[in-house]
Amino acid sequence: MTLILGIDPGSRKTGFGIINQVGGKTEYVTSGVIRVHKEPNMPARLDLIFSSLVGIITEYGPHCMAIEEIFMGRGPDSALKLGQARGVAMVAGTQSKLEIFEYAARKVKQAVVGNGNADKDQVAYMVQSILKLPGLPQEDAADALAVALCHNYVHTGLINIAGATRTRRGRIV
Amino acid sequence: MTLILGIDPGSRKTGFGIINQVGGKTEYVTSGVIRVHKEPNMPARLDLIFSSLVGIITEYGPHCMAIEEIFMGRGPDSALKLGQARGVAMVAGTQSKLEIFEYAARKVKQAVVGNGNADKDQVAYMVQSILKLPGLPQEDAADALAVALCHNYVHTGLINIAGATRTRRGRIV
């Protein structure tokens, strides 16, 4: 079995989702959203993202982390905030000795929906369908599960997406 | 005595500097630059920033961290990378139970040089002068020492800079 932790980072909400690839089947394990907007300041928000992710990794023991590369259509201030959350999420993984895999959002959509320009509703719908969930997952959790599914497809050789970078303890493998 | 860790974060080089305020005197303790550009990818770079800072905090036991708020004159891609490094640096502090203080670059220059528009050479020169260093510190280390000095001035009441945010374990104090 291979447990994959997908992450959709954000400075207010960070989505996470874990799937399990076992015996040719892909199973849903857990997902949710780390909400930090009530924390009084940015260091406290980032600390909560880090601690929550370390807690999730400790509880579920995923084998790797998949995270979206970020398309920066917004301004530098948003990029800085998003970068802070994303950096903290990645280090929660590296400090837990997880391999980190990065995928462009377009490639995640291509893998899960079959269309690199799919909208968020389509992604959530396909995530629900593939993982046989009883309802639509929350938006950030759906995006996190989607990047985990994308990694799973690449990892199991179902599709081959150019450009994913695989690292292990700081080395490309 | 109060040991202050100043940080100048960057995705390739992160400057750090520790000063000690003891009995009305400000002493230089240590400073340096964490260089991560040889790491093969961004997760490995961020991991090295985090681990190095946690190591420095463990070794020297600073009482708080001072870090520059970032003025974003550059594009969103630079902002994202800088944000990642900055987020990781702050969480190295919060996870070590340090209070984090943020200061705008302009205010650091105002505090150390007396001119919010001072250039980097002036900052390095004043840092050398104030801390009686035998030579000019490296640029990133000088900026880190400058933000530590700025915090020290605010903390000891020598100057009062509006806008510094003080936090302790996620609470404004």
Side-chain angles (χ1 to χ4, degrees), chain A residues 51-74:
Chain A
S51 294
S52 300
L53 288 177
V54 168
I56 289 160
I57 292 166
T58 303
E59 182 175 352
Y60 290 95
H63 299 94
C64 61
M65 176 187 287
I67 189 165
E68 271 193 19
E69 282 175 6
I70 290 167
F71 167 69
M72 290 316 313
R74 293 179 288 178

Side-chain angles (χ1 to χ4, degrees), chain B residues 104-120 123:
Chain B
R106 185 178 169 78
K107 289 175 178 168
V108 174
K109 291 174 180 175
Q110 180 66 42
V112 175
V113 183
N115 172 5
N117 295 316
D119 64 25
K120 282 182 169 289
V123 170

